[in-house]
Amino acid sequence: MDLTQLEMFNAVAETGSITAAAQRVHRVPSNLTTRIRQLEEDLGVELFIRENQRLRLAPAGHSFLAYSKRILELVAEAREVVSGDEPQGIFSLGSLESTAAVRIPDVLATFNQRYPKIQFDLATGPSGTMIDGVLEGTLSAAFVDGPVAHPSLEGMPVYREEMMIVAHAGHEEIRRAQQVNGASIYAFRANCSYRRHFESWFQADHAMPGKIHEMESYHGMLACVIAGAGLAMMPKRMLESMPGSHQVQAWPLGEKWRWINTWLIWRRGAKTRQLEAFTELLPRCE
């Protein structure tokens, strides 16, 4: 096994095609086919499931990809350290939508200005999707609802969010879930930690939400609440940042449910120079 094989493997894993991967690494397709087969023989497992002209990762391939990415990242970091250059390379960050919208724009602007050699990518989604991305190696780090108890992850608390229950204008004050038992709610997909938090708030008061409408954005949720079609839960800073926030009523959840800490997480033992540079710009949540 050598670094060239790992680069070839990553290219095939990401493109799903020998031809496309060969173009990326500037090799002929036959060379890639031979080197990938040699890598599989060396490891004693099949890394790809071959279907007609396409290749998709086998279960062993998914596991190996995370290690392959990590090895190449460490090699690149080692080269940077000994050469004394400033951090460079790819830094893929995942984030909750609300964090990306209202918490980190200034941080990202400073980061891009200070480290122009770093190729920065941002992806947004619910906590579950972001955690999977970090574990699989497709994300260098991610902002999620924390803390995250996983042996392969570590991180730090960064932001403290006040969670609000949002209702249409004129709605009576909501102090507990029993008052809105059976009400329709708007939330992200089931792997969203905020949605689980909202459902837990109901359950703790021996209440249940009615129909749960899955939405893709806070703006969509807010529009439905303004129309009187149900309730939503969202961070106070996110709510205040949106046009239309003055058209709804909002109250903080009860003290036990009121605050959620947003954590930045990464793979244990994989804090790269790019990530260190990024974390230096972040606040520390008390």
Side-chain angles (χ1 to χ4, degrees), residues 9-29:
F9 167 74
N10 285 8
V12 176
E14 291 169 2
T15 63
S17 164
I18 289 289
T19 301
Q23 293 175 346
R24 177 181 293 189
V25 298
H26 308 293
R27 299 295 180 100
V28 296

Side-chain angles (χ1 to χ4, degrees), residues 70-116:
R70 183 175 175 185
I71 290 168
L72 293 176
E73 288 171 357
L74 288 172
V75 170
E77 181 180 350
R79 286 172 175 161
E80 291 170 15
V81 170
V82 298
S83 67
D85 290 340
E86 63 182 280
Q88 56 185 296
I90 298 174
F91 180 60
S92 300
L93 179 68
S95 177
L96 300 169
E97 181 188 352
S98 56
T99 304
V102 301
R103 289 291 192 179
I104 61 174
D106 290 343
V107 173
L108 297 184
T110 301
F111 183 72
N112 286 329
Q113 292 169 3
R114 188 171 297 180
Y115 304 103

Side-chain angles (χ1 to χ4, degrees), residues 83-156:
S83 67
D85 290 340
E86 63 182 280
Q88 56 185 296
I90 298 174
F91 180 60
S92 300
L93 179 68
S95 177
L96 300 169
E97 181 188 352
S98 56
T99 304
V102 301
R103 289 291 192 179
I104 61 174
D106 290 343
V107 173
L108 297 184
T110 301
F111 183 72
N112 286 329
Q113 292 169 3
R114 188 171 297 180
Y115 304 103
K117 291 185 179 181
I118 294 179
Q119 181 183 332
F120 176 79
D121 294 316
L122 177 65
T124 61
S127 282
T129 301
M130 298 297 99
I131 291 171
D132 289 344
V134 173
L135 290 171
E136 292 168 2
T138 57
L139 295 175
S140 306
F143 288 103
V144 301
D145 168 29
V148 178
H150 193 288
S152 298
L153 298 175
E154 57 185 333
M156 65 182 193

Side-chain angles (χ1 to χ4, degrees), residues 4 139 187 260:
T4 300
L139 295 175
I260 293 180

Side-chain angles (χ1 to χ4, degrees), residues 161-172:
E161 302 292 356
E162 184 177 14
M163 305 308 295
M164 310 292 288
I165 185 165
V166 187
H168 64 81
H171 196 289
E172 64 177 344

